[in-house]
Amino acid sequence: MNLGLLVFYFFAALAVVGGLMMVTRKNAVHSAVYLVLTFIAIAAIYVLLGAEFLFAVQVLVYAGGIMVLFLFVIMLVNLEEPRRYSGGKLHLGLSTGLTLILFGMLAAVFVKDAPPAAPVAASGGEGNLQLVGALLYRNYLIPFEVVSLLLLVAMIGAIVLGRPRA
Amino acid sequence: MAIPPEHLMILSLVLVAIGITGVLIRRNVIIILMSIELILNAANINFVTFSRQWNNLVGQIFGVFNITVAAAEVAVGLAIVIALFRNRETVNVDEMNLMKW
């Protein structure tokens, strides 16, 4: 077993543990911190997969921006939670069971139709950042602008919704 | 260093399952939004995996778009949570059964 695979298993385990703790913790701030752990582990996996640009975006946008927003809101709304889980034992069991069924079906499809383990081609002098940037601004310029418009609309919407009622 | 694509896909599947379970069983809206973020991240792992296996960078472009949409979703979602809390003094989804009050 080579080193890269071991590093991948380490970060995959970290991501899964972070996700599990995020869902099960009682305190919402603890959940947010465990989610940061998951995001950092996923960012490390991006590096292993040779996606340096996504690594940078993941760390900056998710671990930096979105989680700060979450923490702000958690501290803004007070969180006394008499019961953590919704519904009774039946609801809990049904939810977990249905998720496991979905997991099994998708796992069967995924393992059957996995892409071939193609060798990673060496990039010809240019790094991942240059290649992604060129593709983003040449072939995907219109979607890029549409996404910027989406962000503007989301920003205006958030301001309108968060404004105190006159 | 070759990570088998199946392992990456199973990792993303595990994260999706955790996220779906979180959406279904928790009562706190903020935790539910965080679970949705986890689901989007798991989808992103799949995008990057396929991008690498087929040696095609478009998967990473879609990963960037995915993160942008997630950021927009969180901004609007948390604004809705704030508005709800201002009106109802609760972040419990079981008590939110009206669109208007």
Side-chain angles (χ1 to χ4, degrees), chain A residues 4-5 8-9 12 16 19-20 23 25 31-32 35 38-39 45-46 48-49 51 53-54 57-58 61-62 66 69-70 73-74 76-79 81 83-86 91 95 99 102-103 106-107 110 114-118 120-121 128 131-132 135-136 140 143-144 147 151 154 158 161-165, chain B residues 1-15 17-18 20-22 24-28 30-31 33-35 37-38 40-41 44-46 48-50 52-55 57-58 60-65 67-72 74-76 78-83 85-87 91 94:
Chain A
L5 209 56
F8 164 68
Y9 285 137
V16 170
L20 279 175
V23 170
R25 286 311 90 182
S31 286
L35 193 59
T38 304
F39 285 160
I45 290 172
Y46 289 159
L48 288 179
L49 290 176
F53 180 62
L54 269 178
V57 170
Q58 173 93 1
V61 175
Y62 263 118
I66 291 181
L69 204 61
F70 267 117
V73 173
I74 288 170
L76 227 58
V77 303
N78 74 345
L79 293 156
E81 215 176 344
R83 273 171 48 225
R84 207 184 326 170
Y85 299 118
S86 139
H91 179 251
S95 305
T99 312
L102 179 74
F103 178 87
L106 279 178
F110 274 14
V120 184
N128 177 264
L131 292 171
V132 170
L135 196 62
L136 193 58
Y140 288 86
F144 182 79
V147 155
L151 276 180
L161 282 170
R163 194 184 46 177
R165 197 170 281 174
Chain B
M1 186 194 78
I3 302 164
E6 293 89 354
H7 295 196
L8 284 153
M9 288 154 79
I10 294 297
L11 168 68
S12 90
L13 195 47
V14 170
L15 290 178
I18 293 173
I20 292 176
T21 317
L24 286 177
I25 69 175
R26 290 305 298 257
R27 320 176 85 208
N28 188 337
I30 300 174
I31 309 272
L33 278 175
M34 286 197 230
S35 302
E37 293 301 307
L38 191 62
L40 290 170
N41 256 281
N44 236 353
I45 294 180
N46 253 356
V48 177
T49 306
F50 278 79
R52 176 167 166 276
Q53 296 309 129
W54 296 112
N55 200 9
L57 276 179
V58 177
Q60 294 189 25
I61 302 283
F62 273 84
V64 175
F65 288 154
I67 288 178
T68 324
V69 171
V74 147
V76 177
L78 288 177
I80 291 173
V81 170
I82 297 259
F85 185 75
R86 187 173 286 140
N87 283 307
V91 285
D94 291 348

Side-chain angles (χ1 to χ4, degrees), chain A:
Chain A
M1 187 180 271
N2 58 22
L3 188 65
L5 209 56
L6 275 180
V7 174
F8 164 68
Y9 285 137
F10 172 72
F11 282 115
L14 215 58
V16 170
V17 167
L20 279 175
M21 296 296 260
M22 188 273 283
V23 170
T24 50
R25 286 311 90 182
K26 191 180 173 75
N27 190 334
V29 177
H30 295 176
S31 286
V33 173
Y34 278 115
L35 193 59
V36 172
L37 175 73
T38 304
F39 285 160
I40 300 282
I42 291 174
I45 290 172
Y46 289 159
V47 174
L48 288 179
L49 290 176
E52 288 88 3
F53 180 62
L54 269 178
F55 161 76
V57 170
Q58 173 93 1
V59 171
L60 287 175
V61 175
Y62 263 118
I66 291 181
M67 292 322 294
V68 168
L69 204 61
F70 267 117
L71 281 173
F72 258 149
V73 173
I74 288 170
M75 289 168 183
L76 227 58
V77 303
N78 74 345
L79 293 156
E80 82 289 4
E81 215 176 344
R83 273 171 48 225
R84 207 184 326 170
Y85 299 118
S86 139
K89 284 242 181 327
L90 179 69
H91 179 251
L92 226 123
L94 265 180
S95 305
T96 334
L98 284 176
T99 312
L100 283 179
I101 291 173
L102 179 74
F103 178 87
M105 288 160 69
L106 279 178
V109 175
F110 274 14
V111 170
K112 189 163 68 74
D113 293 338
V120 184
S123 54
E126 283 180 311
N128 177 264
L129 273 176
Q130 283 93 331
L131 292 171
V132 170
L135 196 62
L136 193 58
Y137 292 125
R138 283 189 194 131
N139 301 8
Y140 288 86
L141 185 61
I142 306 275
F144 182 79
E145 297 296 340
V146 171
V147 155
S148 72
L149 195 67
L150 173 78
L151 276 180
L152 178 70
V153 171
M155 194 170 71
I156 295 171
I159 291 170
V160 169
L161 282 170
R163 194 184 46 177
R165 197 170 281 174

